[in-house]
Amino acid sequence: MNDAIHTYINGQFTTLPRTPEVERARQELLQMSEDKYTELVAAGVSANEATGRVITEFGNLDELADDLGIRAEFDGVSAVPPVPIATRADADKALAGGRRGGLLVGGGVLVILLALAAVSAMSDQVMTPAVLFPAVAVAVGLFIFGGFSMRPVAPFKNGDVRLEFSDASHFRQLAERSQWMFVTGLVVGVGLLVLAPGVSGILSGLDLDGAKGPGFLVMIGLGVFVLVASSNQHGTLQTLAKADRPAASIGAAFGGFGGSSEAEKRTNWRIGLIAPIYWPAIVAVYLGWSFISRDWHITWIIWPIAGIAFAVFVGILRAASQWNGRQAS
């Protein structure tokens, strides 16, 4: 198949829902185009001219929708306002932002856990605030900068913009080639988390009881950093790889393909509204509890508990959103 024709035909279907009927029509049109191209080239027509003729004859999906049996799908998409097309440069910026955001957020978690490890190793608890305050300040700064870095990904994730088929194909290939990096990141990250209690036990067996707590926290911090960084990069690549698919409203209308639904957008908005309040509140509770009780070696436990609670909260919100979406449909 001529690559130009293949890309052009596929591009005509990027805004249509991913249904079996539409896929059948796409394959049928590709076969018809290939047959016509082969016929013209065999008749002595140059490759460039044959390409132009095929695109002219088969390039208007509106005229072919009835013959292909996808008039309902085509008209449904035509009734939806077109989604702006982003450039490859926009997508590259989003990918770089996603990678950088993952490193910054993971780094913020690592900084806090390293500070907690240092505190647990100190015999003089009076120095605890001098270690934790700067660490929390640095971590909060990393979280904020990480969030800003990931902002270019949001339009693609929410379906507010889309990519041309050829650009999305580039990111699909990139995602496939980098799959091993994501799997490696998962293995290393989970491995560090699983080995953390073992390292603590080994240090205890070596009569290094003062190091087992810090060792545990360092292993947890490194594991979380690797998981956040690799998962964020992988998630950004997956978002860009699917960015040529129908936008949110189209996907919701035709079986849920494409970008985020309106319910998902509302869920993300709620999470974004609560998170900036939740985490500063956790910091305030942590500092208040620590100053009042002076039990800095104990109060650090609020951080894993807060993280698990927030993850459960987000999971419940997303599950409720999906349930409501299915009920509405």
Side-chain angles (χ1 to χ4, degrees), residues 263-284:
E264 289 173 327
K265 287 184 179 181
R266 286 194 298 271
T267 299
N268 291 334
W269 177 82
R270 289 168 183 157
I271 294 171
L273 183 66
I274 293 170
I277 301 172
Y278 178 83
W279 289 111
I282 292 298
V283 172

Side-chain angles (χ1 to χ4, degrees), residues 112 115-116 119 127-137 286-287 290 296 299:
I112 289 176
L116 292 173
V119 168
M127 295 298 297
T128 296
V131 174
L132 283 181
F133 281 166
V136 171
Y286 167 70
L287 294 176
S290 300
W296 296 89
T299 55

Side-chain angles (χ1 to χ4, degrees), residues 93-95 97-98 149-158 235-236 239-240:
K93 183 179 178 181
L95 179 57
S149 296
M150 291 185 284
R151 289 180 68 179
V153 184
F156 295 96
K157 191 172 185 179
N158 295 334
T236 302
T239 295
L240 295 174

Side-chain angles (χ1 to χ4, degrees), residues 61-76 78:
L61 200 56
D62 188 12
E63 296 178 355
L64 299 170
D66 290 324
D67 294 335
L68 293 172
I70 55 171
R71 171 56 63 186
E73 289 84 349
F74 184 85
D75 287 346
S78 299

